[in-house]
Amino acid sequence: MTPIRAALRHSLPFFSAVFLLAVPVAARSQSLDTRHAGGLLGRPFAHILREIQEADSPRKRVLVEHLHATLRFNGQVIVEDSTVHFVYIGPAAHVAVPGDLNGWNPEADTMQRVAQTQLFVLSKRLPLAARCEYKFVVDSAWILDPINQRRAIGGYGPNSEVCMPLYRPPKEVEFRPDVPHGKLDTLSIRSTILQRTHPVFVYLPPNYGKSSSARYATLYVNDGGEYISLALMTNVLDNMLADGRIPPIVAVFVDPRTDLRDPSTNKRMLDYTMSDSYVRFLAEELRPLIASRHNVATNPARTGIMGASLGGLIATYAAFTRPDVFGLSAAQSPAYWWANDSLIALVANSPRKNVRFFIDTGTIHDAQEKAYKMKMVMEEKGYPVHYEEHPEGHNWFNWRAHISSILEYFFGTR
């Protein structure tokens, strides 16, 4: 996603009157009440559109009103096999569907008006296990889908969400009151190297400290506040520990903001773009401080770093340049395109380091091309690298769904 598109994606106001249809055909009889449309949605959507198109003007209006009422009644999206039908009903000159499917480009997917109506339609095919996020642009206004009750909260607020029939949400992110929960130790770290102060949240597993001889594996997490609030990573840690899938570990969530209340203090564009100063801060200031406060292992083979997008870029760079500190590195939808693929070239043209890598990416306008390129380079150099692709986009719901894979790859007990 270009910086301009990323900025446009969330910066405009929301209002209602847009509808996305998407529920499996086989499930319609169970999940759709068609009484308010006289059975209108009991047939393929193409048949519904044809009836509207062929009706006279008074009948068109009645059919569209019935469709509108049915969509509002059901409050969900409709999928026919692998096709999603986007529908807008309301006055407009131009309607488009920016989202994961087109890199959030407001000009890419324009909806077509059904003649002599206020009904606009766009149909798209998706993988059967896909999940994607979207908004609508009605003339110049960006809006949420008010009928679809599914919402995905991202770094810039909510988006509407569509999940295809074979998509399965991750159970690991759910809060379970019946399992022991770790606690967060909140620190404020003054960095001489960076010349600023950052908040750091240290996850301590349940029963931490009861065995004085224990040395805990450690995972440093870039974009730490969002991995806690949006990716729900503390839930994932609690649940996987309770299920015996990983041993107790300490997770260090490093936030790029100097003030959590002020987004303008976010330094990720400076620190995460292969900054040697940021890597020095992690290795020479933060890690010794964590080791002085908590009973953590200092062996690189038990010390990892992870992040998403630019956070994945710096996670890879930090492990590559400081394998004496980080022997494990996970990158989700990594921004390996940065500076003309310079990190990919660096890995390709340098001696192999003693690091295990994890890379995952979405396949819907995400980091797939460069992630796969880096994976191939790493394998050619002899690195142990675990690689995954998922039919999702560049967003926190994608990343949080696969934290469990990272934890199991690095620390799994099975």
Side-chain angles (χ1 to χ4, degrees):
M1 186 191 311
T2 67
I4 292 176
R5 288 181 186 169
L8 284 173
R9 172 177 174 179
H10 305 286
S11 62
L12 296 170
F14 315 135
F15 64 87
S16 64
V18 181
F19 313 95
L20 171 66
L21 315 175
V23 171
V25 172
R28 281 188 312 220
S29 60
Q30 300 176 3
S31 58
L32 283 179
D33 185 327
T34 60
R35 292 172 296 175
H36 296 278
L40 186 64
L41 293 183
R43 297 173 290 135
F45 189 63
H47 295 181
I48 297 169
L49 288 180
R50 187 179 311 118
E51 182 175 357
I52 294 172
Q53 291 164 346
E54 295 175 353
D56 57 25
S57 293
R59 177 64 174 161
K60 285 181 191 290
R61 184 172 61 253
V62 170
L63 291 174
V64 172
E65 288 174 354
H66 285 172
L67 175 61
H68 189 173
T70 301
L71 297 178
R72 293 185 64 86
F73 180 83
N74 287 288
Q76 58 187 337
V77 291
I78 298 176
V79 169
E80 293 181 328
D81 298 323
S82 59
T83 300
V84 181
H85 304 287
F86 296 84
V87 172
Y88 167 76
I89 302 173
H94 179 273
V95 185
V97 188
D100 288 333
L101 294 177
N102 50 44
W104 294 92
N105 182 350
E107 303 299 328
D109 282 318
T110 299
M111 306 178 80
Q112 299 300 309
R113 184 200 297 268
V114 177
Q116 300 177 345
T117 73
Q118 293 184 341
L119 171 63
F120 294 77
V121 177
L122 173 71
S123 298
K124 300 283 287 186
R125 291 180 65 85
L126 279 74
L128 285 172
R131 191 202 70 88
C132 67
E133 299 177 18
Y134 65 95
K135 280 194 172 83
F136 292 82
V137 176
V138 180
D139 295 329
S140 61
W142 289 60
I143 66 175
L144 288 169
D145 177 351
I147 296 302
N148 180 10
Q149 297 178 8
R150 298 192 69 99
R151 297 285 186 265
I153 306 300
Y156 297 90
N159 295 315
S160 295
E161 178 191 43
V162 55
C163 297
M164 297 298 282
L166 298 185
Y167 174 78
R168 297 294 178 264
K171 294 186 180 299
E172 293 89 354
V173 305
E174 298 174 2
F175 179 80
R176 290 165 53 186
D178 60 320
V179 305
H181 302 116
K183 67 176 184 177
L184 286 176
D185 184 10
T186 303
L187 309 177
S188 182
I189 308 299
R190 174 65 186 176
S191 170
T192 301
I193 295 171
L194 299 178
Q195 289 295 299
R196 44 187 146 87
T197 301
H198 283 273
V200 173
F201 309 97
V202 183
Y203 170 89
L204 302 175
N207 299 320
Y208 170 82
K210 293 206 172 169
S211 173
S212 60
S213 62
R215 289 284 177 180
Y216 294 88
T218 312
L219 181 60
Y220 290 79
V221 185
N222 297 306
D223 286 312
E226 291 185 320
Y227 264 101
I228 293 172
S229 62
L230 300 179
L232 307 178
M233 187 166 171
T234 56
N235 288 353
V236 178
L237 288 162
D238 288 341
N239 294 337
M240 294 186 69
L241 284 168
D243 292 341
R245 295 167 63 185
I246 59 172
I249 69 169
V250 170
V252 182
F253 296 91
V254 188
D255 202 274
R257 296 164 290 184
T258 59
D259 183 347
L260 293 175
R261 300 164 297 181
D262 185 356
S264 70
T265 66
N266 195 316
K267 305 299 182 183
R268 71 193 309 275
M269 290 300 297
L270 176 64
D271 291 344
Y272 293 179
T273 50
M274 299 171 61
S275 166
D276 290 312
S277 294
Y278 179 69
V279 174
R280 285 185 57 215
F281 157 68
L282 295 175
E284 299 172 18
E285 292 182 325
L286 182 57
R287 189 186 70 147
L289 177 64
I290 297 299
S292 71
R293 292 177 60 93
H294 300 293
N295 200 14
V296 296
T298 57
N299 181 351
R302 301 186 67 208
T303 305
I305 184 169
M306 67 174 286
S309 194
L310 285 173
L313 176 75
I314 192 62
T316 304
Y317 184 72
F320 184 80
T321 57
R322 293 300 302 265
D324 59 311
V325 177
F326 304 108
L328 310 168
S329 174
Q332 299 193 277
S333 303
Y336 290 149
W337 51 265
W338 183 262
N340 296 317
D341 301 358
S342 61
L343 183 54
I344 297 176
L346 180 63
V347 173
N349 297 319
S350 302
R352 179 185 176 279
K353 310 296 179 66
N354 189 24
V355 180
R356 294 169 58 205
F357 288 99
F358 179 106
I359 300 171
D360 74 4
T361 178
T363 59
I364 300 176
H365 277 270
D366 198 10
Q368 180 183 19
E369 178 186 356
K370 303 300 183 182
Y372 186 77
K373 183 177 180 180
M374 177 68 93
K375 174 247 188 190
M376 295 300 295
V377 166
M378 287 180 171
E379 288 183 341
E380 289 172 3
K381 300 292 290 189
Y383 284 103
V385 53
H386 180 88
Y387 180 81
E388 296 183 0
E389 292 183 349
H390 308 281
E392 301 182 60
H394 195 85
N395 54 64
W396 281 103
F397 271 49
N398 174 10
W399 302 329
R400 77 180 194 174
H402 309 297
I403 292 172
S404 60
S405 295
I406 294 171
L407 295 174
E408 285 188 316
Y409 176 62
F410 287 159
F411 310 113
T413 57
R414 298 177 182 175

